């Protein structure tokens, strides 16, 4: 395909032959810590994906042994001298990124290895599906550093419930991938890189069978401020619904790329 995504020194981007966008965090020497450049690059990439109709899904992954150790240490240290306004502006950059992920019209799959700490947990919470290798860990250390957890705390409570979120945030410890799956932080845990690739490929195949407009409408419905009633009504007036229902009645798989409705 001819469409391309913005790339940078801290984020590798690609659109493969399946029309799947692959975003790879590329700060392995820093544990893929979230600095201003990486946050901005991710936000730009997700906003760009929203404008490319051919893309069917996004895979969010990382180079190196860790998905992301969380906020960049220099960014954390700088906050000690920032004004309240500067701190709020910095937090907004992360809020904008999470909003871009959640509003992305195609399913977002996070493939996680190694450590995912603090604010980086927000990335997989904003994703639609997440798979982790068996050695992955997830930690919420803010209280141990004298800080109140940031944006990811609200997302965590929203996704796993306030009681479970309190237990993780107030103890500040790390949990293994199996425990993360029990809390539904991730949907699958795998033993090898090949197993992880197989899980992701299986999800992609299922996504490819779904109507693009139905996926986008379902995501919009589930996003903050979504309107389930309007999403339902809109879907039944769409060309994809006509294609899908016709194919079902004729006993065949629908062709979502068909020009006719």
């Amino acid at each position: 395909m001819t469409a391309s995504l913005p790339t940078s020194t801290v984020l590798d981007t690609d659109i493969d032959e399946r029309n799947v966008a692959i975003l790879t965090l590329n700060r392995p020497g820093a544990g893929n810590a979230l600095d201003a450049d990486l946050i901005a690059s991710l936000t730009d990439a997700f906003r760009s994906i929203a404008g490319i109709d051919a893309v069917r899904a996004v895979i969010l992954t990382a180079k190196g042994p860790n998905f992301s150790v969380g906020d960049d240490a220099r960014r954390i240290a700088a906050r000690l001298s920032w004004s309240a306004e500067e701190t709020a502006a910095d937090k907004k950059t992360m809020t904008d990124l999470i909003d871009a992920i959640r509003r992305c019209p195609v399913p977002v799959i996070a493939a996680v290895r190694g450590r995912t700490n603090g604010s980086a947990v927000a990335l997989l919470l904003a994703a639609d599906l997440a798979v982790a290798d068996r050695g992955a860990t997830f930690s919420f250390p803010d209280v141990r550093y004298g800080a109140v957890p940031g944006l990811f705390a609200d997302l965590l409570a929203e996704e796993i419930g306030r009681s479970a979120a309190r237990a993780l945030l107030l103890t500040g410890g790390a949990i293994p991938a199996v425990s993360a799956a029990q809390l539904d932080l991730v949907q699958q845990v795998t033993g090898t890189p090949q197993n992880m690739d197989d899980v992701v490929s299986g999800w992609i195949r299922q996504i490819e069978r779904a109507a693009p407009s139905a996926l986008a409408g379902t995501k919009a419905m589930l996003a903050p401020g979504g309107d389930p009633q309007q999403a339902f009504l809109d879907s039944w007036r769409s060309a994809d619904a006509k294609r899908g229902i016709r194919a079902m009645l004729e006993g065949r798989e629908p062709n979502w790329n068909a020009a006719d409705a």
Side-chain angles (χ1 to χ4, degrees), residues 78-139:
R79 285 192 191 126
L80 294 175
S81 60
W82 285 349
S83 66
E85 292 76 13
E86 289 171 319
T87 303
D90 178 69
K91 182 181 178 182
K92 185 178 184 302
T93 65
M94 194 66 186
T95 303
D96 289 344
L97 169 56
I98 298 307
D99 184 68
I101 298 173
R102 299 183 87 176
R103 294 186 184 281
C104 182
V106 299
V108 178
I109 299 170
V112 179
R113 299 181 178 90
R115 296 162 61 196
T116 301
N117 296 351
S119 59
V121 175
L123 300 181
L124 67 93
L125 290 170
D128 302 295
L129 296 162
V131 55
D133 79 1
R134 194 166 296 277
T137 61
F138 304 85
S139 67

Short mmCIF file of all heavy atoms in Angstrom, two decimals, residues 78-139:
data_model
loop_
_atom_site.label_atom_id
_atom_site.label_comp_id
_atom_site.label_asym_id
_atom_site.label_seq_id
_atom_site.Cartn_x
_atom_site.Cartn_y
_atom_site.Cartn_z
N ALA A 78 12.78 16.32 36.38
CA ALA A 78 12.45 17.70 36.02
C ALA A 78 11.19 18.17 36.72
O ALA A 78 11.04 19.37 37.02
CB ALA A 78 12.29 17.81 34.51
N ARG A 79 10.26 17.25 37.00
CA ARG A 79 9.00 17.65 37.63
C ARG A 79 9.20 18.31 38.98
O ARG A 79 8.37 19.10 39.43
CB ARG A 79 8.09 16.42 37.81
CG ARG A 79 7.45 15.93 36.54
CD ARG A 79 6.36 14.92 36.86
NE ARG A 79 5.92 14.25 35.65
CZ ARG A 79 5.89 12.94 35.49
NH1 ARG A 79 6.27 12.15 36.47
NH2 ARG A 79 5.48 12.42 34.35
N LEU A 80 10.29 17.99 39.66
CA LEU A 80 10.53 18.55 41.00
C LEU A 80 10.66 20.06 40.95
O LEU A 80 10.40 20.74 41.95
CB LEU A 80 11.78 17.91 41.61
CG LEU A 80 11.68 16.41 41.91
CD1 LEU A 80 13.02 15.89 42.40
CD2 LEU A 80 10.58 16.14 42.94
N SER A 81 11.07 20.61 39.82
CA SER A 81 11.25 22.06 39.71
C SER A 81 10.18 22.72 38.85
O SER A 81 10.22 23.94 38.63
CB SER A 81 12.63 22.38 39.12
OG SER A 81 12.77 21.81 37.83
N TRP A 82 9.22 21.94 38.35
CA TRP A 82 8.18 22.51 37.51
C TRP A 82 7.10 23.20 38.34
O TRP A 82 6.83 22.82 39.49
CB TRP A 82 7.49 21.41 36.69
CG TRP A 82 8.31 20.91 35.53
CD1 TRP A 82 9.45 21.44 35.04
CD2 TRP A 82 8.02 19.74 34.75
NE1 TRP A 82 9.90 20.68 33.98
CE2 TRP A 82 9.05 19.65 33.77
CE3 TRP A 82 7.01 18.79 34.76
CZ2 TRP A 82 9.09 18.62 32.84
CZ3 TRP A 82 7.05 17.76 33.83
CH2 TRP A 82 8.07 17.68 32.87
N SER A 83 6.46 24.17 37.73
CA SER A 83 5.27 24.77 38.33
C SER A 83 4.09 23.83 38.15
O SER A 83 4.18 22.86 37.39
CB SER A 83 4.96 26.11 37.65
OG SER A 83 4.58 25.89 36.29
N ALA A 84 3.00 24.13 38.82
CA ALA A 84 1.80 23.30 38.67
C ALA A 84 1.32 23.34 37.23
O ALA A 84 0.86 22.31 36.69
CB ALA A 84 0.70 23.79 39.61
N GLU A 85 1.44 24.51 36.59
CA GLU A 85 1.01 24.62 35.20
C GLU A 85 1.85 23.77 34.27
O GLU A 85 1.35 23.13 33.34
CB GLU A 85 1.06 26.09 34.75
CG GLU A 85 0.03 27.00 35.42
CD GLU A 85 0.40 27.37 36.86
OE1 GLU A 85 1.58 27.14 37.26
OE2 GLU A 85 -0.48 27.89 37.58
N GLU A 86 3.17 23.74 34.51
CA GLU A 86 4.07 22.92 33.68
C GLU A 86 3.80 21.44 33.89
O GLU A 86 3.81 20.66 32.93
CB GLU A 86 5.52 23.25 34.02
CG GLU A 86 5.98 24.61 33.54
CD GLU A 86 7.35 24.98 34.06
OE1 GLU A 86 7.63 24.72 35.26
OE2 GLU A 86 8.15 25.54 33.29
N THR A 87 3.53 21.05 35.11
CA THR A 87 3.22 19.64 35.39
C THR A 87 1.91 19.24 34.71
O THR A 87 1.81 18.15 34.14
CB THR A 87 3.12 19.40 36.90
OG1 THR A 87 4.35 19.79 37.52
CG2 THR A 87 2.86 17.93 37.21
N ALA A 88 0.91 20.12 34.77
CA ALA A 88 -0.37 19.84 34.13
C ALA A 88 -0.20 19.73 32.61
O ALA A 88 -0.82 18.86 31.97
CB ALA A 88 -1.38 20.93 34.47
N ALA A 89 0.63 20.59 32.03
CA ALA A 89 0.86 20.54 30.59
C ALA A 89 1.54 19.23 30.20
O ALA A 89 1.23 18.62 29.16
CB ALA A 89 1.70 21.73 30.16
N ASP A 90 2.48 18.77 31.03
CA ASP A 90 3.16 17.50 30.76
C ASP A 90 2.17 16.34 30.85
O ASP A 90 2.18 15.44 30.00
CB ASP A 90 4.30 17.30 31.76
CG ASP A 90 5.00 15.98 31.57
OD1 ASP A 90 5.69 15.80 30.55
OD2 ASP A 90 4.85 15.10 32.44
N LYS A 91 1.31 16.37 31.86
CA LYS A 91 0.32 15.31 32.00
C LYS A 91 -0.62 15.29 30.80
O LYS A 91 -1.04 14.22 30.35
CB LYS A 91 -0.48 15.49 33.29
CG LYS A 91 -1.52 14.38 33.51
CD LYS A 91 -2.31 14.58 34.78
CE LYS A 91 -3.36 13.47 34.94
NZ LYS A 91 -4.19 13.67 36.14
N LYS A 92 -0.93 16.46 30.26
CA LYS A 92 -1.84 16.52 29.11
C LYS A 92 -1.26 15.81 27.89
O LYS A 92 -2.00 15.24 27.09
CB LYS A 92 -2.18 17.97 28.76
CG LYS A 92 -3.23 18.09 27.65
CD LYS A 92 -3.59 19.52 27.35
CE LYS A 92 -4.70 19.61 26.31
NZ LYS A 92 -4.36 18.95 25.05
N THR A 93 0.06 15.83 27.73
CA THR A 93 0.64 15.13 26.58
C THR A 93 0.35 13.63 26.67
O THR A 93 0.07 12.99 25.65
CB THR A 93 2.16 15.35 26.50
OG1 THR A 93 2.82 14.77 27.63
CG2 THR A 93 2.50 16.83 26.41
N MET A 94 0.39 13.09 27.88
CA MET A 94 0.07 11.68 28.05
C MET A 94 -1.43 11.44 27.90
O MET A 94 -1.86 10.43 27.32
CB MET A 94 0.54 11.21 29.43
CG MET A 94 0.56 9.70 29.60
SD MET A 94 1.78 8.91 28.54
CE MET A 94 1.39 7.18 28.88
N THR A 95 -2.25 12.38 28.39
CA THR A 95 -3.69 12.27 28.20
C THR A 95 -4.05 12.27 26.73
O THR A 95 -4.91 11.50 26.28
CB THR A 95 -4.41 13.43 28.92
OG1 THR A 95 -4.07 13.42 30.30
CG2 THR A 95 -5.92 13.31 28.78
N ASP A 96 -3.38 13.13 25.95
CA ASP A 96 -3.63 13.19 24.51
C ASP A 96 -3.26 11.87 23.84
O ASP A 96 -3.95 11.42 22.91
CB ASP A 96 -2.84 14.33 23.89
CG ASP A 96 -3.39 15.70 24.26
OD1 ASP A 96 -4.53 15.77 24.74
OD2 ASP A 96 -2.67 16.69 24.06
N LEU A 97 -2.16 11.27 24.27
CA LEU A 97 -1.75 9.98 23.69
C LEU A 97 -2.79 8.91 23.99
O LEU A 97 -3.20 8.16 23.08
CB LEU A 97 -0.38 9.56 24.25
CG LEU A 97 0.05 8.12 23.95
CD1 LEU A 97 0.05 7.84 22.46
CD2 LEU A 97 1.41 7.85 24.57
N ILE A 98 -3.22 8.80 25.22
CA ILE A 98 -4.21 7.77 25.58
C ILE A 98 -5.50 8.00 24.81
O ILE A 98 -6.14 7.05 24.33
CB ILE A 98 -4.46 7.78 27.10
CG1 ILE A 98 -3.16 7.44 27.84
CG2 ILE A 98 -5.56 6.79 27.46
CD1 ILE A 98 -2.48 6.17 27.39
N ASP A 99 -5.89 9.26 24.67
CA ASP A 99 -7.09 9.58 23.90
C ASP A 99 -6.94 9.15 22.44
O ASP A 99 -7.88 8.60 21.84
CB ASP A 99 -7.38 11.08 23.99
CG ASP A 99 -8.66 11.47 23.29
OD1 ASP A 99 -9.73 11.09 23.77
OD2 ASP A 99 -8.59 12.15 22.25
N ALA A 100 -5.75 9.37 21.87
CA ALA A 100 -5.51 8.97 20.47
C ALA A 100 -5.59 7.45 20.30
O ALA A 100 -6.11 6.95 19.29
CB ALA A 100 -4.15 9.48 20.01
N ILE A 101 -5.08 6.72 21.29
CA ILE A 101 -5.16 5.25 21.22
C ILE A 101 -6.61 4.79 21.32
O ILE A 101 -7.08 3.96 20.54
CB ILE A 101 -4.32 4.60 22.33
CG1 ILE A 101 -2.84 4.96 22.17
CG2 ILE A 101 -4.50 3.08 22.32
CD1 ILE A 101 -1.95 4.49 23.31
N ARG A 102 -7.33 5.33 22.28
CA ARG A 102 -8.70 4.89 22.52
C ARG A 102 -9.64 5.28 21.38
O ARG A 102 -10.62 4.59 21.11
CB ARG A 102 -9.22 5.42 23.86
CG ARG A 102 -8.41 4.94 25.04
CD ARG A 102 -8.96 5.41 26.36
NE ARG A 102 -9.98 4.51 26.86
CZ ARG A 102 -10.57 4.65 28.03
NH1 ARG A 102 -10.27 5.66 28.82
NH2 ARG A 102 -11.48 3.79 28.42
N ARG A 103 -9.33 6.37 20.70
CA ARG A 103 -10.16 6.82 19.60
C ARG A 103 -9.70 6.28 18.24
O ARG A 103 -10.35 6.55 17.22
CB ARG A 103 -10.22 8.35 19.57
CG ARG A 103 -10.93 8.93 20.78
CD ARG A 103 -11.12 10.42 20.69
NE ARG A 103 -11.71 10.96 21.91
CZ ARG A 103 -13.00 10.89 22.21
NH1 ARG A 103 -13.84 10.33 21.37
NH2 ARG A 103 -13.46 11.39 23.35
N CYS A 104 -8.62 5.53 18.24
CA CYS A 104 -8.18 4.90 16.99
C CYS A 104 -9.30 4.00 16.48
O CYS A 104 -9.83 3.17 17.23
CB CYS A 104 -6.91 4.09 17.25
SG CYS A 104 -6.22 3.29 15.80
N PRO A 105 -9.71 4.13 15.22
CA PRO A 105 -10.90 3.41 14.75
C PRO A 105 -10.71 1.93 14.49
O PRO A 105 -11.68 1.23 14.18
CB PRO A 105 -11.25 4.16 13.44
CG PRO A 105 -9.95 4.70 12.97
CD PRO A 105 -9.19 5.07 14.21
N VAL A 106 -9.48 1.44 14.62
CA VAL A 106 -9.23 0.00 14.41
C VAL A 106 -8.71 -0.60 15.71
O VAL A 106 -8.17 0.11 16.57
CB VAL A 106 -8.22 -0.23 13.26
CG1 VAL A 106 -8.77 0.33 11.96
CG2 VAL A 106 -6.86 0.38 13.58
N PRO A 107 -8.85 -1.92 15.88
CA PRO A 107 -8.37 -2.56 17.10
C PRO A 107 -6.87 -2.38 17.30
O PRO A 107 -6.09 -2.49 16.36
CB PRO A 107 -8.73 -4.03 16.89
CG PRO A 107 -9.89 -4.01 15.95
CD PRO A 107 -9.60 -2.87 15.02
N VAL A 108 -6.49 -2.10 18.54
CA VAL A 108 -5.09 -1.92 18.92
C VAL A 108 -4.68 -3.10 19.80
O VAL A 108 -5.31 -3.37 20.82
CB VAL A 108 -4.88 -0.59 19.67
CG1 VAL A 108 -3.42 -0.45 20.11
CG2 VAL A 108 -5.30 0.59 18.79
N ILE A 109 -3.61 -3.78 19.38
CA ILE A 109 -3.11 -4.95 20.10
C ILE A 109 -1.76 -4.61 20.70
O ILE A 109 -0.84 -4.20 19.98
CB ILE A 109 -2.96 -6.15 19.15
CG1 ILE A 109 -4.30 -6.54 18.54
CG2 ILE A 109 -2.34 -7.34 19.88
CD1 ILE A 109 -4.20 -7.56 17.41
N ALA A 110 -1.61 -4.76 22.01
CA ALA A 110 -0.33 -4.56 22.67
C ALA A 110 0.34 -5.91 22.89
O ALA A 110 -0.28 -6.83 23.43
CB ALA A 110 -0.52 -3.85 24.01
N ALA A 111 1.59 -6.04 22.44
CA ALA A 111 2.37 -7.26 22.62
C ALA A 111 3.52 -6.93 23.56
O ALA A 111 4.41 -6.14 23.21
CB ALA A 111 2.88 -7.77 21.27
N VAL A 112 3.50 -7.51 24.77
CA VAL A 112 4.31 -7.02 25.88
C VAL A 112 5.29 -8.08 26.36
O VAL A 112 4.91 -9.23 26.62
CB VAL A 112 3.39 -6.60 27.05
CG1 VAL A 112 4.21 -6.12 28.22
CG2 VAL A 112 2.41 -5.53 26.59
N ARG A 113 6.55 -7.68 26.48
CA ARG A 113 7.59 -8.53 27.07
C ARG A 113 8.31 -7.75 28.16
O ARG A 113 8.37 -6.53 28.12
CB ARG A 113 8.60 -8.96 26.00
CG ARG A 113 8.02 -9.79 24.87
CD ARG A 113 9.10 -10.19 23.87
NE ARG A 113 8.55 -11.03 22.80
CZ ARG A 113 8.06 -10.56 21.66
NH1 ARG A 113 8.05 -9.26 21.44
NH2 ARG A 113 7.58 -11.38 20.74
N GLY A 114 8.87 -8.47 29.12
CA GLY A 114 9.67 -7.83 30.15
C GLY A 114 8.86 -6.94 31.06
O GLY A 114 7.73 -7.24 31.42
N ARG A 115 9.46 -5.81 31.42
CA ARG A 115 8.83 -4.91 32.40
C ARG A 115 7.90 -3.90 31.73
O ARG A 115 8.21 -3.34 30.69
CB ARG A 115 9.92 -4.16 33.17
CG ARG A 115 10.80 -5.04 34.03
CD ARG A 115 12.09 -4.33 34.41
NE ARG A 115 11.83 -3.11 35.18
CZ ARG A 115 12.75 -2.16 35.37
NH1 ARG A 115 13.95 -2.26 34.81
NH2 ARG A 115 12.46 -1.10 36.10
N THR A 116 6.76 -3.66 32.38
CA THR A 116 5.86 -2.55 32.04
C THR A 116 5.55 -1.86 33.36
O THR A 116 4.88 -2.42 34.22
CB THR A 116 4.57 -3.05 31.37
OG1 THR A 116 4.91 -3.78 30.18
CG2 THR A 116 3.68 -1.88 31.01
N ASN A 117 6.05 -0.64 33.50
CA ASN A 117 5.96 0.05 34.79
C ASN A 117 5.13 1.32 34.70
O ASN A 117 5.16 2.02 33.68
CB ASN A 117 7.36 0.45 35.29
CG ASN A 117 8.26 -0.73 35.59
OD1 ASN A 117 7.82 -1.87 35.58
ND2 ASN A 117 9.52 -0.44 35.84
N GLY A 118 4.43 1.62 35.77
CA GLY A 118 3.80 2.92 35.95
C GLY A 118 2.98 3.40 34.78
O GLY A 118 2.05 2.73 34.32
N SER A 119 3.35 4.56 34.25
CA SER A 119 2.56 5.19 33.20
C SER A 119 2.50 4.34 31.93
O SER A 119 1.55 4.47 31.15
CB SER A 119 3.11 6.57 32.86
OG SER A 119 4.47 6.47 32.44
N ALA A 120 3.48 3.46 31.71
CA ALA A 120 3.45 2.60 30.53
C ALA A 120 2.29 1.62 30.58
O ALA A 120 1.82 1.15 29.53
CB ALA A 120 4.77 1.85 30.38
N VAL A 121 1.82 1.31 31.77
CA VAL A 121 0.65 0.43 31.90
C VAL A 121 -0.55 1.06 31.20
O VAL A 121 -1.41 0.36 30.66
CB VAL A 121 0.34 0.14 33.38
CG1 VAL A 121 -0.95 -0.67 33.52
CG2 VAL A 121 1.50 -0.60 34.04
N ALA A 122 -0.59 2.40 31.17
CA ALA A 122 -1.71 3.09 30.52
C ALA A 122 -1.79 2.75 29.03
O ALA A 122 -2.88 2.72 28.46
CB ALA A 122 -1.57 4.60 30.69
N LEU A 123 -0.65 2.46 28.40
CA LEU A 123 -0.66 2.12 26.98
C LEU A 123 -1.43 0.84 26.73
O LEU A 123 -2.23 0.74 25.80
CB LEU A 123 0.77 1.99 26.44
CG LEU A 123 1.67 3.23 26.55
CD1 LEU A 123 3.03 2.94 25.95
CD2 LEU A 123 1.03 4.43 25.88
N LEU A 124 -1.18 -0.18 27.56
CA LEU A 124 -1.90 -1.44 27.32
C LEU A 124 -3.34 -1.36 27.82
O LEU A 124 -4.22 -2.03 27.29
CB LEU A 124 -1.15 -2.64 27.91
CG LEU A 124 -1.01 -2.77 29.41
CD1 LEU A 124 -2.13 -3.61 29.97
CD2 LEU A 124 0.33 -3.43 29.74
N LEU A 125 -3.60 -0.50 28.82
CA LEU A 125 -4.99 -0.31 29.25
C LEU A 125 -5.81 0.39 28.17
O LEU A 125 -7.00 0.11 28.02
CB LEU A 125 -5.02 0.52 30.54
CG LEU A 125 -4.52 -0.17 31.81
CD1 LEU A 125 -4.38 0.85 32.93
CD2 LEU A 125 -5.44 -1.31 32.23
N ALA A 126 -5.16 1.28 27.42
CA ALA A 126 -5.86 1.96 26.33
C ALA A 126 -6.03 1.07 25.11
O ALA A 126 -6.92 1.31 24.30
CB ALA A 126 -5.11 3.24 25.95
N ALA A 127 -5.18 0.06 24.97
CA ALA A 127 -5.29 -0.87 23.85
C ALA A 127 -6.55 -1.73 24.02
O ALA A 127 -7.14 -1.81 25.10
CB ALA A 127 -4.05 -1.75 23.77
N ASP A 128 -6.94 -2.39 22.93
CA ASP A 128 -8.14 -3.22 22.96
C ASP A 128 -7.85 -4.66 23.36
O ASP A 128 -8.68 -5.33 23.98
CB ASP A 128 -8.81 -3.21 21.58
CG ASP A 128 -9.16 -1.79 21.15
OD1 ASP A 128 -10.01 -1.19 21.82
OD2 ASP A 128 -8.57 -1.30 20.18
N LEU A 129 -6.66 -5.14 23.01
CA LEU A 129 -6.24 -6.49 23.33
C LEU A 129 -4.78 -6.43 23.74
O LEU A 129 -4.01 -5.62 23.22
CB LEU A 129 -6.39 -7.42 22.12
CG LEU A 129 -7.81 -7.67 21.61
CD1 LEU A 129 -7.77 -8.21 20.18
CD2 LEU A 129 -8.54 -8.64 22.54
N ALA A 130 -4.38 -7.30 24.67
CA ALA A 130 -2.98 -7.32 25.10
C ALA A 130 -2.55 -8.76 25.36
O ALA A 130 -3.29 -9.55 25.95
CB ALA A 130 -2.78 -6.48 26.35
N VAL A 131 -1.35 -9.08 24.90
CA VAL A 131 -0.75 -10.38 25.14
C VAL A 131 0.62 -10.14 25.77
O VAL A 131 1.33 -9.21 25.39
CB VAL A 131 -0.63 -11.21 23.84
CG1 VAL A 131 0.13 -10.46 22.76
CG2 VAL A 131 0.00 -12.58 24.10
N ALA A 132 0.97 -10.96 26.75
CA ALA A 132 2.26 -10.80 27.45
C ALA A 132 2.98 -12.14 27.49
O ALA A 132 2.33 -13.20 27.54
CB ALA A 132 2.03 -10.29 28.87
N ASP A 133 4.31 -12.08 27.49
CA ASP A 133 5.03 -13.34 27.67
C ASP A 133 5.04 -13.69 29.16
O ASP A 133 4.78 -12.85 30.02
CB ASP A 133 6.42 -13.29 27.04
CG ASP A 133 7.46 -12.55 27.85
OD1 ASP A 133 7.15 -12.06 28.95
OD2 ASP A 133 8.61 -12.47 27.39
N ARG A 134 5.31 -14.95 29.43
CA ARG A 134 5.18 -15.45 30.80
C ARG A 134 6.12 -14.75 31.77
O ARG A 134 5.86 -14.68 32.97
CB ARG A 134 5.43 -16.97 30.81
CG ARG A 134 5.00 -17.66 32.09
CD ARG A 134 4.94 -19.16 31.91
NE ARG A 134 3.92 -19.53 30.95
CZ ARG A 134 2.63 -19.66 31.24
NH1 ARG A 134 2.22 -19.44 32.48
NH2 ARG A 134 1.77 -20.00 30.32
N GLY A 135 7.22 -14.21 31.27
CA GLY A 135 8.17 -13.54 32.14
C GLY A 135 7.89 -12.07 32.35
O GLY A 135 8.63 -11.39 33.07
N ALA A 136 6.84 -11.56 31.75
CA ALA A 136 6.53 -10.13 31.88
C ALA A 136 6.07 -9.80 33.29
O ALA A 136 5.47 -10.62 33.98
CB ALA A 136 5.44 -9.74 30.88
N THR A 137 6.36 -8.56 33.71
CA THR A 137 5.88 -8.07 35.00
C THR A 137 5.27 -6.69 34.82
O THR A 137 5.61 -5.95 33.89
CB THR A 137 7.01 -7.96 36.04
OG1 THR A 137 8.01 -7.04 35.57
CG2 THR A 137 7.64 -9.32 36.31
N PHE A 138 4.37 -6.34 35.73
CA PHE A 138 3.65 -5.08 35.68
C PHE A 138 3.74 -4.45 37.06
O PHE A 138 3.34 -5.09 38.05
CB PHE A 138 2.20 -5.31 35.26
CG PHE A 138 2.09 -6.03 33.94
CD1 PHE A 138 2.15 -7.43 33.89
CD2 PHE A 138 1.95 -5.34 32.76
CE1 PHE A 138 2.07 -8.11 32.68
CE2 PHE A 138 1.87 -6.01 31.54
CZ PHE A 138 1.94 -7.39 31.51
N SER A 139 4.24 -3.23 37.13
CA SER A 139 4.42 -2.62 38.45
C SER A 139 3.84 -1.22 38.51
O SER A 139 3.69 -0.55 37.49
CB SER A 139 5.91 -2.59 38.83
OG SER A 139 6.63 -1.71 37.99
#
